[in-house]
Amino acid sequence: MKRFLFITTLISLCFTCASAQPGPKAKLVLFISEQNINTPRSAWWASEVDLSATEAEIARQLLSAGYEIIEPGAMDDVINKEKAFRLVDLSEKNSIKMASLANADYVVLGKAVASAGGTVPYSNMRSCFANLTAKVIDVKTRRVIAYLDASGNSAHMDVISGGREALVSAGGQIAAKIVEKLNSMLQQRSQ
């Protein structure tokens, strides 16, 4: 009898814990083309490249905030449906269409560019800068809910590494803005 009560209690506890775990707040797809210093512009949907440094930082912060990111590998079938989906300059219309086919709630569409500045005085390091612009689009309503921008900077002996650091910094700044906007919208909808 004790064993039966123990097993019943254990099963009940497992169901309680499983049901207490909240699901993701929303699903997002990130479409941010990126150009680092001395490299061509790239985008995961247009080539075999995985998430860019900018997207990886944004995804990291969104995941930490409870959002779900639809990974590039999960989008292969969607991308192969139309050649227009393979362009680096993805249109807003096609980004919404792809996000809809992937069952995303929101799409983040943007561009990130890094550039090199002058040499830091009394050193061999170069100043590196990154600018990032993005818009967050509600897939269901097809409305832009936020226009965002961010910038990052870095000083590094290697301009490509410095550009990457600046891009990651800009990605972190914009991710915080995206989380703030989405949290605000989700809170308004729940009221």
Side-chain angles (χ1 to χ4, degrees):
M1 184 67 169
K2 286 182 182 179
R3 182 181 268 174
F4 175 75
L5 287 174
F6 177 74
I7 291 173
T8 306
T9 305
L10 187 61
I11 290 172
S12 174
L13 183 61
C14 287
F15 281 117
T16 303
C17 290
S19 64
Q21 298 272 346
K25 294 179 181 178
K27 290 182 183 179
L28 289 96
V29 178
L30 305 176
F31 294 121
I32 300 177
S33 65
E34 181 178 280
Q35 183 173 10
N36 198 351
I37 302 164
N38 298 329
T39 63
R41 205 163 105 207
S42 64
W44 65 263
W45 59 92
S47 65
E48 300 301 316
V49 185
D50 211 357
L51 289 177
S52 66
T54 309
E55 288 169 321
E57 180 61 21
I58 293 170
R60 185 185 67 74
Q61 288 194 32
L62 288 170
L63 287 169
S64 293
Y67 292 94
E68 181 180 336
I69 303 299
I70 298 174
E71 295 293 322
M75 298 280 297
D76 287 344
D77 291 341
V78 172
I79 291 170
N80 291 330
K81 286 186 186 239
E82 288 188 38
K83 288 186 180 190
F85 292 162
R86 286 255 181 230
L87 298 174
V88 173
D89 287 319
L90 190 61
S91 70
E92 184 175 318
K93 179 181 174 184
N94 282 336
S95 71
I96 293 169
K97 189 173 181 180
M98 287 173 62
S100 179
L101 290 170
N103 296 315
D105 300 305
Y106 299 96
V107 61
V108 179
L109 180 63
K111 294 180 184 177
V113 178
S115 57
T119 305
V120 176
Y122 309 107
S123 76
N124 292 328
M125 299 177 85
R126 296 272 308 267
S127 297
C128 302
F129 308 95
N131 291 300
L132 171 58
T133 57
K135 49 187 164 185
V136 181
I137 305 166
D138 184 323
V139 175
K140 288 179 186 164
T141 65
R142 299 179 174 267
R143 277 190 32 238
V144 176
I145 59 169
Y147 289 96
L148 306 167
D149 61 34
S151 60
N153 57 56
S154 173
H156 206 284
M157 291 178 67
D158 174 53
V159 291
I160 294 174
S161 296
R164 184 182 186 292
E165 287 177 1
L167 288 163
V168 168
S169 174
Q173 290 176 31
I174 216 160
K177 294 176 183 180
I178 293 168
V179 168
E180 182 180 333
K181 180 64 178 174
L182 291 176
N183 285 346
S184 170
M185 286 196 59
L186 292 174
Q187 185 177 22
Q188 287 175 0
R189 286 182 182 170
S190 67
Q191 292 178 352

